[in-house]
Amino acid sequence: MITVFGTGTGTGAPVPVEVLAGARLVVGGRRHLASVPVPDDAEQVVLGPLAPALDVVERHLKLEHPVVVLASGDPGFFGIVRALAERFGSERLDVRPGVSSVATAFARLGLTWDDAVVVSAHGRELRTAVHVCRARPKVAVLTGPGSGPAELGAALRADARVLVVASALGSAEERVERVTPAEAAARDWGTSVSVVLCLDETRLPAAAARTVAGSDVGPGRWALDEDEFTHRDSMITKFEVRALALARLGPRLGDHVWDIGAGSGSVAVECARLGAAVTAVEKTPDGVERVRANAVAHGVDVRAVHGAAPTVLSDLDDPDAVFVGGGGRELPAIVTACARRARRTVVVAMAALDRVPSVREALTGAGFSCDGVLLQSSRLAPLPGDVTRLAATNPVFLLWGYRTPVSLEGVAL
């Protein structure tokens, strides 16, 4: 068996004598190994690169030697339990969890965290953590080299957030500091940061009993009726079109979505309700205000940018998915610019048939597959005398493209 002992934060919980008794291999960080009575006949391995340590564990298991692995916090929470279970099987693990750094950080603030989202930036791209912080009001970010408070703050400068930086939790050097993103970006935080809490205090959910942990589980419905948004002269993506557009965009937590030519921001708001971080580009000042008002009304955070595409796109972070609405002469150029930046998909809605060929060419020319439909719907409408008729909506072309994976077949590596 492998006994995995979570020491909690700081100096942590003392390791019981019976855990170490008889161990022939003890694996852990330097401070863990220095703080416990490792048996004289036990081999010690300082955790650094994971693969070599796992190889030593495997060698001892083949000899049926008891193995002890010491880890900070709760080793089953973004910890070493995953790697051990994948390599040796969960049935060979005896896990004894400690208190995680996330639980400790929220405890220091006196905040519940059953409504928080936890994202790890340790050894991972920071962009996912940034998008989750933009999309959700209560987020804990596990930090790592190159993905600490300074980098997170720099990415969130334009967002109204409070960062709570928890360093050296549980130790004599513990610090828990509230800063703005700009203040976080301007400091050197060293290497002792355990976790950063990112809070949008204007949208923190009211305290209430919960039955499902985590941030809200998503909207109960989407493709909302047009009258659930403020819009000008029916200039809004109709719900039938929005339903298919959302299906093709696939917005999810950790994604970044652009809504270009946002108008009322109905697509932007719906993507945000489904968990994505959203940037809406709108060229009219009153349109920008409508986008912001609709976002507030639906309890989501949408970053509204005043400007015309494709000019303003160079200032935006790369998106995972893009929705483009409208149909002016500049549409092919906008689609081309969006397709060059999109990591996954681009969806375009237009009313004019003569724009379809150029948009298809723009998508395929940027390395995307392309498909589409003409959407024509008729809604039930009442007539006097308790009679119902069909009221046709304007037909809309919806085209979408997915980035085609690069094939390495026949390429010399």
Side-chain angles (χ1 to χ4, degrees):
M1 292 292 292
I2 306 171
T3 301
V4 188
F5 190 87
T7 62
T9 55
T11 53
V15 183
V17 173
E18 65 270 17
V19 170
L20 292 167
R24 298 296 300 277
L25 171 66
V26 181
V27 180
R30 292 188 186 280
R31 66 184 178 87
H32 295 132
L33 296 173
S35 65
V36 300
V38 177
D40 293 337
D41 59 347
E43 182 179 358
Q44 299 185 43
V45 171
V46 178
L47 267 179
L50 196 55
L54 296 180
D55 291 340
V56 177
V57 171
E58 183 171 15
R59 174 165 53 83
H60 279 268
L61 290 179
K62 287 179 178 178
L63 298 172
E64 298 186 355
H65 291 167
V67 175
V68 174
V69 176
L70 306 176
S72 299
D74 179 350
F77 189 74
F78 288 102
I80 198 170
V81 166
R82 182 183 303 277
L84 291 170
E86 288 177 351
R87 179 80 173 262
F88 307 113
S90 58
E91 70 279 358
R92 302 187 75 168
L93 305 182
D94 175 13
V95 182
R96 313 207 184 171
V99 179
S100 71
S101 59
V102 173
T104 302
F106 278 111
R108 295 293 188 265
L109 297 184
L111 289 178
T112 60
W113 64 288
D114 51 15
D115 55 355
V117 176
V118 183
V119 57
S120 177
H122 188 86
R124 299 166 172 86
E125 278 191 289
L126 184 64
R127 69 185 306 273
T128 298
V130 171
H131 298 154
V132 173
C133 287
R134 286 187 53 204
R136 291 291 184 254
K138 185 187 284 189
V139 181
V141 180
L142 298 170
T143 61
S147 298
E151 292 83 4
L152 190 62
L156 294 171
R157 282 179 185 273
D159 299 277
R161 298 292 186 273
V162 172
L163 299 185
V164 180
V165 182
S167 305
L169 286 170
S171 72
E173 292 76 36
E174 178 181 302
R175 290 179 303 160
V176 179
E177 302 176 70
R178 292 169 60 96
V179 294
T180 66
E183 290 168 340
R187 285 178 56 177
D188 179 0
W189 295 91
T191 60
S192 63
V193 174
S194 305
V195 61
V196 177
L197 307 183
C198 181
L199 308 176
D200 180 354
E201 296 184 322
T202 66
R203 293 194 299 140
L204 284 180
R210 297 173 62 85
T211 56
V212 179
S215 183
D216 59 85
V217 294
R221 60 193 182 95
W222 51 92
L224 302 175
D225 291 339
E226 290 89 78
D227 59 10
E228 297 187 59
F229 298 93
T230 299
H231 53 88
R232 177 178 61 87
D233 299 331
S234 296
M235 298 295 291
I236 181 172
T237 304
K238 302 301 187 286
F239 71 76
E240 300 95 332
V241 178
R242 219 178 316 125
L244 183 56
L246 290 168
R248 293 296 181 260
L249 289 167
R252 59 195 172 191
L253 191 63
D255 277 355
H256 182 205
V257 177
W258 288 354
D259 182 2
I260 308 300
S264 64
S266 62
V267 173
V269 167
E270 297 240 42
C271 288
R273 293 176 73 239
L274 289 165
V278 184
T279 300
V281 175
E282 170 55 40
K283 63 183 178 182
T284 66
D286 58 331
V288 170
E289 293 308 313
R290 269 191 293 275
V291 171
R292 290 172 177 161
N294 282 321
V296 170
H298 288 276
V300 295
D301 188 3
V302 172
R303 182 182 292 173
V305 175
H306 179 213
T311 306
V312 300
L313 302 184
S314 60
D315 297 328
L316 307 181
D317 293 335
D318 285 349
D320 295 280
V322 182
F323 177 78
V324 182
R329 290 194 186 97
E330 68 279 8
L331 182 61
I334 293 173
V335 173
T336 297
C338 292
R340 286 172 178 165
R341 303 278 299 281
R343 295 162 66 98
R344 188 176 68 240
T345 187
V346 176
V347 177
V348 186
M350 70 204 98
L353 171 62
D354 55 359
R355 300 283 182 237
V356 172
S358 57
V359 169
R360 289 186 66 184
E361 184 178 347
L363 289 171
T364 57
F368 281 67
S369 63
C370 185
D371 204 347
V373 296
L374 171 63
L375 294 177
Q376 295 176 288
S377 64
S378 295
R379 300 180 181 181
L380 298 180
L383 285 174
D386 198 23
V387 176
T388 301
R389 70 181 180 90
L390 290 176
T393 61
N394 291 330
V396 174
F397 293 95
L398 196 72
L399 270 61
W400 57 86
Y402 296 108
R403 185 171 291 285
T404 305
V406 177
S407 174
L408 297 180
E409 184 178 351
V411 177
L413 298 178

